Every structure is written in C-alpha cells, then in structure tokens.
Amino acid sequence: MNLFVIIISSMLVSNVVLSQFLGICPFLGVSKKVETSVGMGAAVTFVITIACMITYPIYYGILVPMGLEYLQTIAFILIIAALVQFVEMALKKFMPALHASLGVYLPLITTNCAVLGVAINNISDGYNFIESVVCGICTALGFLISITILAGIRERIEFNDVPESFKGTPIVLVTASLMAIAFCGFAGLV
C-alpha cells in the first residue's frame, strides 16, 4: 500500500514540475515539440532513476557511517553530473538527431534541481532503497507526463490566434499555470 501511495503521489499529487516547481528550465525550454519533450523526459527518467539507485547506498553506506552527511549535496551533484555525461555520450552516439534537438538542455539536466531534489527528498523522507527507486521512477514519469502535455498544448497553440501580447513565453506560462491548477485536483487521491 505504501508503494501505491508513493507512485500516485510522485506522479500526480506532488508532481515535481507542477507542484514542487523543480525542473522548470527544461520544462519550458524543451516543450516546443512532443518528440523532443518525450526524449528529454526519457533522459530525465533515466538520470533520476539511476541517481536514486546510486545515491541511496552512497548516503547510507559511505556518508552516514563516516559522519559525512553534510556532504550529501556535493556527493549527489557529482553522481548526477557523471550520469548526465553518460546519457549525453549515449545519445550522441546512438541518437544524434535527438542529441542535436535537445541542444543545451541536455547538459542542463546536471543542474536540473528536480534530479537533485528527488535524491535529497528520498533521504529526508526516510524511504528505503525500493521506495527511493519507485519514487524516483514515478517522479520522472510525472515529469515526462507534464512536459509531454505542455508540448502537445504548445503545438496546438502555435496554429491558433493568440493576442499579440500573449504570444511566446506569456501564453506558455499561462498554460503551465493552468496545468498546475489542474494537477491540484489530484490532491484528494492520497
């Protein structure tokens, strides 16, 4: 039952972008096309999942026994940076078109506060290893859901009449805020 609550909470109720407002930069920057958004969501999913799998044993296996808990942020950032470099090399080798379309936003996953936020929240919430991994996967899937929905809406807005003062970033921010309000409706699920 606890895993079910973590799944629903991570994906919908406490959506990392729309409720916690973490990872806004790639959310707004990469959500122009659905294909690019799905690629970014998949890359973030991979990084968050692996980061949760690695940061948990490093925190409890190395930092806590040595009394170095205060170094968790630095250690987690180093782990995330290494993972992003791995993802970037893999995308450049196997999917050059996606690598080119993600552009500068791919290295920004390193500084994506959503990735670091999930790793730190898993520790502060006292999750065990399985709960941490499930929370990481579902949080990343929540990111994927929200960025894909925004991209789909942005593609449709592109062909509609939008007042001149709302064209570009303003209409995207209005759309994202309406999505955040809509996701508040999931709050009663858990």
Side-chain angles (χ1 to χ4, degrees):
M1 187 63 177
N2 192 27
L3 287 179
F4 179 73
V5 171
I6 291 172
I7 291 169
I8 297 299
S9 176
S10 299
M11 287 177 63
L12 302 173
V13 177
S14 298
N15 186 286
V16 72
V17 176
L18 300 174
S19 294
Q20 298 177 19
F21 307 111
L22 299 173
I24 297 291
C25 181
F27 177 68
L28 295 176
V30 182
S31 61
K32 292 179 182 160
K33 297 186 186 255
V34 172
E35 298 84 26
T36 309
S37 297
V38 170
M40 175 57 102
V44 168
T45 300
F46 177 78
V47 170
I48 288 179
T49 303
I50 301 301
C52 289
M53 291 175 144
I54 294 174
T55 55
Y56 182 89
I58 286 179
Y59 183 79
Y60 287 107
I62 297 172
L63 298 179
V64 170
M66 297 179 78
L68 301 173
E69 295 93 344
Y70 60 91
L71 292 177
Q72 83 173 5
T73 303
I74 294 170
F76 291 0
I77 288 173
L78 291 173
I79 292 165
I80 292 164
L83 288 171
V84 169
Q85 289 302 312
F86 174 73
V87 168
E88 187 172 13
M89 289 186 305
L91 284 178
K92 192 173 186 177
K93 172 102 172 141
F94 299 113
M95 296 181 225
L98 179 60
H99 181 268
S101 67
L102 291 176
V104 71
Y105 293 102
L106 187 58
L108 283 178
I109 295 175
T110 302
T111 58
N112 186 344
C113 53
V115 181
L116 180 61
V118 172
I120 290 175
N121 283 343
N122 285 341
I123 300 298
S124 65
D125 290 343
Y127 291 156
N128 62 33
F129 180 76
I130 299 296
E131 292 170 338
S132 293
V133 173
V134 168
C135 180
I137 292 169
C138 293
T139 299
L141 291 176
F143 178 84
L144 175 65
I145 289 168
S146 58
I147 196 171
T148 305
I149 291 172
L150 182 63
I153 293 171
R154 284 181 76 173
E155 284 182 355
R156 294 192 61 141
I157 287 174
E158 189 176 317
F159 300 109
N160 291 328
D161 287 333
V162 176
E164 192 64 37
S165 60
F166 278 98
K167 286 188 178 178
T169 305
I171 195 68
V172 173
L173 293 174
V174 168
T175 304
S177 53
L178 290 173
M179 285 177 58
I181 292 170
F183 269 65
C184 286
F186 294 120
L189 290 175
V190 261

